[in-house]
Amino acid sequence: MKLQFLGAARQVTGSQYYVEADGARLLVDCGMYQERAYLARNWDPSPIRLRDVHAMMLTHAHVDHCGLAPKLVRDGFRGPIFTTSASAELVELVLRDSAEIQAEDAEFKEKRHRKEGRRDTQPVKPLYTLKDVERMLPLLEAVPYDRPVRVNGHVQAVFHDAGHILGSAMIELRGEDHGAPRRIIFTGDLGQWDRPIVRNPTVFTEADYVVMESTYGDRTHEDHGTAEAQLQQVISETVAGGGKVIIPIFAIERAQELIYYLSRLLEAKQIPEVPVFLDSPMAADVNEIFRRHRECFDVEAEQTVAGGQSLLKFPSLHVVRSVQESMTINGLRGPAVIMATSGMCTAGRIKHHLAHHIGNPASTILFVGYQAQGTLGRQILEGNPEVRIHGINRLVRARVRQIQASPVTPTASAC
């Protein structure tokens, strides 16, 4: 058995592992690098012969775990790509969105360079295109949780619930090493216990090797209260001051959790009735995928849906799809909550909202997820007095907050 680390070593993004076992050659995950210092690695050729790889396994649909799949297929990979049913739908959505964002960002940068009269820069090109994504999608094969799938006749792979996002999995590989049975587990990103909507992570009692993500492995998690309570405090204080709450979101899971929390808070009248904008066509599409995969729900979420209630809707929620609608939000007066992608502020609509509101002392920028080193989100969170957005240096006058919390405590009430 041979294990090679191809990414996410001494850094957060770019998860990718190469495994040789029992005659099978496998890739587990193929994530994009998102830290600014490592972005160039996305263009590097793979250090392994992709045509010789028998299969790929994806733990979940976040871009730092699946984002290089179209490039690897373009560069020679031809095997099946195994993942759970919910993840297969999400991966398609994520990669289409990734290709579109890359094309939009490349076009935006080219226009800015021309406007600035810069002639010494190389043409800006996306890492891959929608055509590359279309070429990859037929390779996706959905597999159920807890049912072994055989690879190249010998190695078995079993997907176990990871409790991270909808469809997320820990992957258990079963094979032999010099005739002795071996089990190696790749955790992917592990979720916390008692998160809303999705089930808790699977618990293992034995394994020969465990390859574990350790983004938060260098710290002790203190009890800051529930995410719901912190969200209530930030929104109430900002609305009272007449400002807007700007929330960079990850379209998968973080967006749905926030909608869940906001619905509960509004129903309990613990926050003022203000317009809430979900400015992410992708997050809106993810909501629909959630509704199609109730097999991933925990008991409370399943009971809520079975009772005829909606997990992901409330009257003051406005789903924004078009660019024109997104631009209109920033012209609205009065308090509001604006959720927009991307979660680390590396691309997408959130950068436009930040450009409009980061200089307003009445507003709050609220981070709800990890901010990798070198990203715009990390620069803001670390207290930089000035950050560069769309080629312009902007003073940070808005309040900056981060939700650091255990998940909401489950109760019998539902939204």
Side-chain angles (χ1 to χ4, degrees):
M1 184 175 284
K2 175 183 176 182
L3 172 64
Q4 186 175 353
F5 293 79
L6 303 182
R10 298 187 179 181
Q11 63 193 92
V12 176
T13 63
S15 295
Q16 188 176 176
Y17 312 96
Y18 174 63
V19 183
E20 291 183 5
D22 242 4
R25 293 180 290 274
L26 313 170
L27 280 175
V28 177
D29 284 342
C30 57
M32 285 178 63
Y33 296 94
Q34 293 178 289
E35 297 103 318
R36 188 184 297 264
Y38 303 114
L39 290 177
R41 292 185 182 179
N42 289 318
W43 274 262
D44 289 346
S46 175
I48 60 176
R49 285 175 53 90
L50 293 168
R51 290 185 179 276
D52 295 339
V53 178
H54 296 114
M56 184 189 302
M57 316 277 178
L58 299 180
T59 59
H60 65 286
H62 277 150
V63 73
D64 60 325
H65 287 258
C66 72
L68 284 185
K71 176 180 181 291
L72 297 187
V73 171
R74 186 185 64 207
D75 292 348
F77 175 77
R78 294 294 181 268
I81 302 175
F82 295 109
T83 193
T84 65
S85 178
S87 287
E89 284 201 58
L90 291 171
V91 164
E92 177 176 354
L93 185 65
V94 165
L95 296 180
R96 288 185 187 278
D97 184 73
S98 175
E100 290 173 356
I101 287 176
Q102 290 178 55
E104 290 172 2
D105 283 354
E107 182 180 3
F108 186 86
K109 288 178 182 178
E110 288 282 9
K111 286 182 179 178
R112 194 181 80 221
H113 292 172
R114 288 196 297 270
K115 185 177 179 180
E116 294 171 352
R118 294 166 61 176
R119 304 182 185 278
D120 58 341
T121 58
Q122 294 293 323
V124 182
K125 294 183 178 180
L127 180 62
Y128 51 80
T129 66
L130 278 172
K131 186 176 293 186
D132 295 321
V133 175
E134 295 286 354
R135 191 179 297 119
M136 180 225 76
L137 291 177
L139 301 181
L140 283 173
E141 291 193 21
V143 297
Y145 284 114
D146 303 319
R147 186 180 302 173
V149 57
R150 195 171 292 276
V151 182
N152 199 35
H154 298 287
V155 173
Q156 287 186 334
V158 186
F159 288 70
H160 302 275
D161 210 317
H164 174 52
I165 66 172
L166 191 81
S168 62
M170 290 179 276
I171 298 175
E172 176 190 3
L173 295 182
R174 302 171 182 172
E176 291 189 356
D177 186 15
H178 299 291
R182 291 286 183 267
R183 293 204 307 172
I184 180 170
I185 295 170
F186 295 85
T187 68
D189 288 347
L190 280 173
Q192 294 175 310
W193 287 74
D194 297 326
R195 293 290 284 270
I197 306 178
V198 298
R199 294 192 298 261
N200 289 332
T202 300
V203 175
F204 291 93
T205 57
E206 59 180 336
D208 294 290
Y209 305 97
V210 177
V211 181
M212 179 175 287
E213 302 282 337
S214 57
T215 300
Y216 294 103
D218 62 346
R219 73 199 70 179
T220 299
H221 290 282
E222 299 177 6
D223 184 6
H224 296 273
T226 67
E228 195 169 330
Q230 292 180 72
L231 185 62
Q232 183 270 333
Q233 182 178 2
V234 169
I235 291 176
S236 297
E237 290 176 354
T238 305
V239 170
K244 291 181 171 64
V245 181
I246 311 300
I247 309 179
I249 58 167
F250 298 87
I252 304 174
E253 209 68 35
R254 283 291 188 267
Q256 289 72 40
E257 287 181 2
L258 281 171
I259 295 171
Y260 179 91
Y261 295 148
L262 287 167
S263 179
R264 289 168 59 102
L265 291 168
L266 285 164
E267 184 180 35
K269 302 188 185 306
Q270 293 181 331
I271 57 174
E273 191 80 34
V274 294
V276 177
F277 297 96
L278 178 63
D279 189 8
S280 170
M282 181 180 167
D285 291 337
V286 170
N287 289 356
E288 296 303 317
I289 294 175
F290 264 69
R291 295 185 180 103
R292 290 197 292 272
H293 286 279
R294 287 170 56 177
E295 78 277 5
C296 298
F297 288 3
D298 63 14
V299 173
E300 184 183 9
E302 177 57 34
Q303 289 175 345
T304 300
V305 175
Q309 296 173 283
S310 175
L311 287 171
L312 302 173
K313 286 183 180 179
F314 53 87
S316 58
L317 177 65
H318 306 275
V319 177
V320 179
R321 287 189 175 272
S322 73
V323 173
Q324 186 59 46
E325 287 178 296
S326 178
M327 294 170 63
T328 301
I329 296 173
N330 289 316
L332 297 177
R333 295 186 177 182
V337 176
I338 302 172
M339 301 181 289
T341 48
S342 67
M344 296 185 194
C345 310
T346 54
R349 296 182 180 182
I350 189 61
K351 296 182 78 170
H352 295 274
H353 294 300
L354 289 173
H356 278 84
H357 298 288
I358 200 166
N360 182 2
S363 291
T364 302
I365 302 168
L366 177 61
F367 291 100
V368 295
Y370 185 81
Q371 305 300 307
Q373 189 70 38
T375 61
L376 174 59
R378 183 66 167 264
Q379 293 172 38
I380 297 170
L381 187 60
E382 288 183 338
N384 286 20
E386 186 176 274
V387 294
R388 191 170 181 82
I389 304 174
H390 294 152
I392 300 174
N393 291 333
R394 303 176 193 270
L395 294 176
V396 181
R397 293 194 176 100
R399 290 175 294 182
V400 179
R401 300 287 186 270
Q402 183 180 31
I403 287 181
Q404 301 179 9
S406 58
V408 63
T409 302
T411 67
S413 64
C415 57

